[in-house]
Amino acid sequence: MSFNEQIDRKGTYCTQWDYIEDRFGKNDLLPFTISDTDFKVPTGVEAALQERLRHPIFGYTRWNHADFKSAVTHWYKERFGHRIDEDWLVYSPSVIYSIKQLICLLSEPGEGVIIQTPAYDAFYKLIAGNGRKLVNNELIYQGSTYQLDFEDLRRQFEQPENKILLLCSPHNPTGRVWTKKELVNIIELAQKNEVFIISDEIHMDILRKGQHHQPLTELIQKNVAVVTSGSKTFNFPGLIFSYGLIPDSSLRQRFLQQMKEADGLGSTSIFGLVATISAYEKESNWVTELNQYIDDNIAFVTTYLKRHHPEIIVTKSEATYLMWLDCARLPFTMEELQQRMIERGKVAIMSGEVYGKASHNFLRLNVGCPRKKLEEGLRRLTESLG
């Protein structure tokens, strides 16, 4: 597959392209915003979807069967060297839905959920929207990378009202891949203080060369749940399908009961299911090629900024297709920078303030796109700063 192919996404009800005006006030902008990519799905996934589409009945669909479970266990063994128990698997329509259910099952209103900030903006809304207290374990920014503040985390874990750590691994938006040592330290603190860990690992496949993602269930099977999906990797979030790993059988049954009986979500999207099985069974090489393309895009952006805008610091990227750019040395506030990009450059790039007030000087640039689009986006950024 050529990741250079440019596909017109306008007119497809696409959040990133068709609804730019919702967030930026204008619709004639080149977007590098929402966390999906401009790449078509792998050929094998497209073929599997087309084959299923030829059958003209799309009835209620079961997820709990050997085809789905063996595809996921195969993927974890091949990509991460991790043998998971297929009994741990649960279905969910989205990762955010899974997090919501687990938070409600494992804590009471008013109790604390710890997150590392800056953080995916949906985390803030999810915690507040379900009546829980957001506890901010702010990451330590050191030059061009981020580190965990373990002393602050220890204090937060010791507060008995804080019941859950919502871990983002790999981390969005900073691109950190937590090392095994860091994860072991987190686990030891959590176990000592009986804090449950929900690990959002949706970015687990998108890694820079030489990086290795450590699924948390390989290190711990008590007081832990992993929530994830193939949707970020293979670019099919619109097919509505995710899954989780919940080793604790009692919690797993409570989760499934809540989803099926209280929320009426026992049947899954047939297309999300078919796409996930096909991708996990056949498209490992495609992901390797995707990662190489994103590595090259990141290298391209880094070289361009060093040459044309050395005052913008590129945070070291270890994972995701989202670059985190420190713009504090620019002679503009973020409000001024956004206005210049919208009015002058006609380009839409997410403000870091969306992910936490302390990150108001950052931009989150989505580089999951063909090189030509990226080149045009950088040209527009330069025009904005002129």
Side-chain angles (χ1 to χ4, degrees), residues 130-143:
N130 286 284
R132 270 60 178 178
K133 179 183 176 183
L134 188 147
V135 181
N136 180 5
N137 176 228
E138 188 170 339
L139 297 173
I140 301 170
Y141 181 54
Q142 296 179 328

Side-chain angles (χ1 to χ4, degrees), residues 310-344:
E311 64 275 23
I312 298 178
I313 298 172
V314 178
T315 303
K316 181 182 178 183
S317 174
E318 297 175 345
T320 83
Y321 46 77
L322 307 164
M323 294 187 72
W324 191 237
L325 307 177
D326 182 352
C327 301
R329 296 182 185 178
L330 291 175
F332 314 112
T333 65
M334 180 52 65
E335 184 178 355
E336 291 168 340
L337 177 58
Q338 286 291 333
Q339 184 176 6
R340 293 174 80 94
M341 289 192 298
I342 293 167
E343 300 294 337
R344 293 191 181 195

Side-chain angles (χ1 to χ4, degrees), residues 16-228:
Q16 180 164 190
W17 286 85
D18 288 328
Y19 300 99
I20 312 168
E21 190 172 4
D22 290 354
R23 191 182 291 269
F24 293 89
K26 292 194 173 183
N27 60 13
D28 61 341
L29 310 178
L30 185 65
F32 297 86
T33 54
I34 301 302
S35 185
D36 64 10
T37 74
D38 291 317
F39 304 131
K40 66 181 182 181
V41 298
T43 303
V45 172
E46 184 179 8
L49 290 170
Q50 292 285 2
E51 181 180 353
R52 181 58 185 85
L53 191 61
R54 282 194 289 270
H55 191 294
I57 299 175
F58 311 105
Y60 291 116
T61 301
R62 183 72 59 89
W63 66 269
N64 192 356
H65 47 72
D67 287 352
F68 166 63
K69 292 184 173 183
S70 64
V72 177
T73 56
H74 166 75
W75 188 255
Y76 271 79
K77 181 181 177 183
E78 180 172 0
R79 299 299 298 188
F80 311 117
H82 178 28
R83 294 181 180 272
I84 64 172
D85 186 333
E86 66 175 29
D87 289 339
W88 297 349
L89 282 161
V90 298
Y91 157 74
S92 164
S94 73
V95 165
I96 289 299
Y97 174 87
S98 295
I99 295 171
K100 180 264 183 188
Q101 291 293 9
L102 289 165
I103 285 175
C104 291
L105 289 169
L106 295 163
S107 65
E108 298 296 330
E111 292 183 329
V113 178
I114 304 166
I115 62 172
Q116 272 87 32
T117 55
Y120 176 39
D121 55 315
F123 286 178
Y124 296 97
K125 300 168 188 174
L126 183 68
I127 293 167
N130 286 284
R132 270 60 178 178
K133 179 183 176 183
L134 188 147
V135 181
N136 180 5
N137 176 228
E138 188 170 339
L139 297 173
I140 301 170
Y141 181 54
Q142 296 179 328
S144 63
T145 189
Y146 283 83
Q147 302 297 329
L148 289 158
D149 187 340
F150 278 106
E151 185 56 32
D152 183 51
L153 187 62
R154 180 188 61 77
R155 288 192 295 267
Q156 292 165 347
F157 276 0
E158 289 175 350
Q159 299 299 313
E161 68 272 16
N162 294 336
K163 302 296 185 181
I164 296 168
L165 169 66
L166 175 50
L167 182 70
C168 192
S169 177
H171 189 264
N172 172 20
T174 69
R176 270 301 314 274
V177 173
W178 307 122
T179 66
K180 183 175 181 179
K181 182 178 180 182
E182 288 172 321
L183 293 173
V184 168
N185 287 343
I186 290 171
I187 289 167
E188 289 177 350
L189 285 173
Q191 288 181 321
K192 182 179 180 181
N193 295 281
E194 297 184 345
V195 173
F196 192 98
I197 304 175
I198 303 171
S199 186
D200 175 355
E201 302 188 9
I202 198 170
H203 293 279
M204 63 189 186
D205 299 312
I206 312 299
L207 304 169
R208 302 292 78 78
K209 188 174 182 179
Q211 293 292 332
H212 175 72
H213 169 70
Q214 178 78 66
L216 205 61
T217 47
E218 188 172 11
L219 302 176
I220 180 177
Q221 289 87 48
K222 182 181 179 182
N223 287 343
V224 66
V226 167
V227 291
T228 190

